[in-house]
Amino acid sequence: MLNRLRILIVEDVVNDAKLGVRELKRAGIACDFRRVDTAVDYRRELEEFKPQVILSDFSMPQFDGMEALAIARQSHPYVPFIIV
C-alpha cells in the first residue's frame, strides 16, 4: 500500500489550490491535502493534519507566504516549505 503525501496548501483562491493538486496527481503523486488562507487555520492544520510538505502562495489579502514560512520555521522546522 502506498503512503499518501500530506500537503498543506496556503492559498486564498480555491481553484488555484485545486489546480496545484491536480498537477501533482497527474505527475503520479498520491496526496491528501488541506487548504488554508488564515494564520489561525494554518496553525491548527500544522498541529492536526501534520503535513509532510507545505505549498504556499506568496501574497494573499489576510496572510502571506513569508508569515507562513516564519510560523513553520518556529514550530515545524523540518517540514519542507515551498512558495509557489
Side-chain angles (χ1 to χ4, degrees):
M1 181 177 185
L2 293 175
N3 290 331
R4 297 174 65 83
L5 186 62
R6 290 184 313 277
I7 301 173
L8 182 55
I9 300 174
V10 182
E11 173 61 67
D12 60 324
V13 180
V14 174
N15 285 336
D16 287 353
K18 287 180 180 179
L19 176 64
V21 170
R22 187 181 81 208
E23 289 302 314
L24 290 168
K25 288 180 178 180
R26 201 169 96 178
I29 298 171
C31 64
D32 293 319
F33 75 96
R34 304 264 175 93
R35 184 192 66 83
V36 297
D37 62 358
T38 66
V40 171
D41 291 342
Y42 178 65
R43 289 177 191 275
R44 183 192 69 239
E45 293 299 340
L46 283 172
E47 296 306 318
E48 292 178 10
F49 184 56
K50 300 188 184 329
Q52 295 167 300
V53 66
I54 301 164
L55 301 178
S56 179
D57 189 358
F58 181 74
S59 177
M60 297 176 289
Q62 298 178 356
F63 188 44
D64 66 45
M66 296 309 290
E67 184 179 353
L69 176 60
I71 292 167
R73 295 265 177 179
Q74 286 181 331
S75 63
H76 295 78
Y78 298 107
V79 175
F81 188 99
I82 301 168
I83 293 181
V84 183

